[in-house]
Amino acid sequence: MCGIIGYVGHRPALPILIEGLHRLEYRGYDSAGVALPEDDGLYIAKSAGRISVLEQVIDAEKDGSTGIGHTRWATHGAPNDVNAHPHCDATGRIAVVHNGIIENYLSLRTFLEQQGRTFKSDTDTEVLVQLISFFYEGNIEDAVRRALHDVAGTYGIAVVSADEPDVIVAARKGSPLIIGVGKGEHILASDASAILAHTSQVVYLNDGDIARITADGARMTTLEAIPVTRAVEEVEWSLDQIELAGYEHFMLKEIFEQPTSLKNCLRGRLDLNEGTVHLGGLVDCSRELTRAKRFIMTACGTAWHSALVGEYLFEDLIRVPTEVEYASEFRYRNPIIEEGTVAIVVSQSGETTDTQAALREAKQRGALVLGVVNVVGSTIARETDAGVYLHVGPEIGVASTKAFTGQVAVLAMIACLLGRRKHMSPAAATQFLTALAAIPEQMHDILEQADQAKEVAERYHERENWLYLGRGYNYPVALEGALKLKEISYIHAEGLPAAEMKHGPIALITEGMPVVFVATAGTQYQKIISNINEVKSRGGSVIAIATKGDREIAKQADHVIYVPDTIEPLQPLLATIPLQLIAYHAALIRGCNVDKPRNLAKSVTVE
Ligand code: AGP
């Protein structure tokens, strides 16, 4: 889950590479580097740390018009100057940047050492460049192709050679790569955010593609050297959508974007008159969906939490058995897929390796596979049989926020669409969709009270252990709240079904321990009030997310953050927002890097 950038054209490459690396930094940010062919050699600059550190060591006078760059999320070898990319061969005339994992790098390394090759770094990538060099006979594209035949694992790579200074060779298997098509120039990148400043015309590389890129063209072939053509597509996102727009952090911007992003997600899809939903991406498989006997939702991280809300929605509205699986477990546990099984893969980036593999596993076993995805043209979007885009715009902050509410909204729409074909009356569907249509405005009201969440963070940011509790539809919200706090403030937090406390975790309660209850109005309200008393009576400090107008809970809880009232199945869309804000402010007060938390990256493209 590194970021790769490449430029070949008529302008000086270096500033374009650096600007692109800044835009890709959310993909990995522990070290970075660039390589530019020049005067019969290669100029290489690389360093541990952020792109800003690399800018200190770079010779800005370098004006070559071809170059590659990389920002890293370390998998093999500690993040340091030696292990940073690019990696060169022994001659120093071939350089590679790589996103992915070369699984058989140790055996390849042994083979190359037997050929007298020596290695400077601990990385799998240096093995790849040495292998390319081993096969090099004057044509860099052929050498890359021959080397990739011996490679097992995943890769998105860019290669330059001092002998062919106007060429970049790129290849992908498992890790995303896009080529931006400009006038007399081409920009290669791991995702569109680094290309949008130059062009919105892009070509998506498929697994097994090798591209020979020059200023005037990009020729694609397979590993077997068979020419292939890839369509030039338009990226729907604009440059300003990936700017901070005056916010201090992308996460804060994306939290406050939710009224708009959700409106965009719902736009043109709700039919309140007919009490139904229009999802163009599902029309072709409409019959199979109506006949579905079982749904399996699979995802990772925050997307898994939205799928858990989806499970409640599907069983509630469609009344068809639905399960939620961690993609990393599903892909290896020999899953049972009978006739009539529909798999739904949920992913913001559409590039998460475990989710991709779960998709392929379900497909290979005969399931119809749908995608609920945000990034248009991403691998998962292109490999599923059908699907629904979130349309919430680019999500740059590593901690997912607006994508979570977008995913829940899409799953709610699918549940209503199929529920209407089963047991849901037009009136019940209209009531459901009317409530859904009101959510963006209600989110607005919550964001106007954002300071309440800030006060909770100011009060408890020094506590190193928190609990998040919820019941029913709010249980996944508790999990999501805990994940947000963990991943950006580095506070240990655990999300649980509130009733589970008595079966062990209640032993954790110490005096003043912050315990967040997602306690909005609903069928289990009285139950959660009892759970609150259990915690209070053991000295815990209770922070409650409650429904506006609920005076009762204010007598029980130490802090109450109110959210507008809505129907129970849609409460996750509102109750999540104060939890996103608590995590944001706790991280800020603790001096953490909110948008680029340690050890994380925006899309996890390795196992
Ligand atoms: C969430 O804040 C994290 N960034 C992470 O858990 C993320 O949800 C997970 O990696 C799945 O990513 P995806 O939705 O892009 O597949």
Side-chain angles (χ1 to χ4, degrees), residues 300-303 346-352 355 398-400 407 480 483-484 487 601-604:
C300 305
T302 285
V346 184
S347 175
Q348 186 288 126
S349 62
E351 300 294 351
T352 302
T355 309
V398 167
S400 186
Q407 288 155 356
E480 179 56 12
L483 177 62
K484 290 283 96 68
E487 66 179 318
K602 183 61 184 170
S603 72
V604 182

Side-chain angles (χ1 to χ4, degrees), residues 19-72:
E19 187 254 341
L21 287 176
H22 275 294
R23 294 203 183 282
L24 292 169
E25 202 172 19
Y26 69 106
R27 302 179 60 89
Y29 30 86
D30 60 39
S31 53
V34 294
L36 289 81
E38 60 159 14
D39 322 338
D40 194 26
L42 291 179
Y43 167 72
I44 306 281
K46 57 183 186 174
S47 63
R50 308 286 297 280
I51 311 297
S52 50
V53 178
L54 176 66
E55 288 178 283
Q56 309 306 319
V57 299
I58 257 176
D59 173 354
E61 301 307 307
K62 296 295 176 190
D63 58 1
S65 55
T66 303
I68 57 177
H70 185 269
T71 180
R72 185 174 186 231

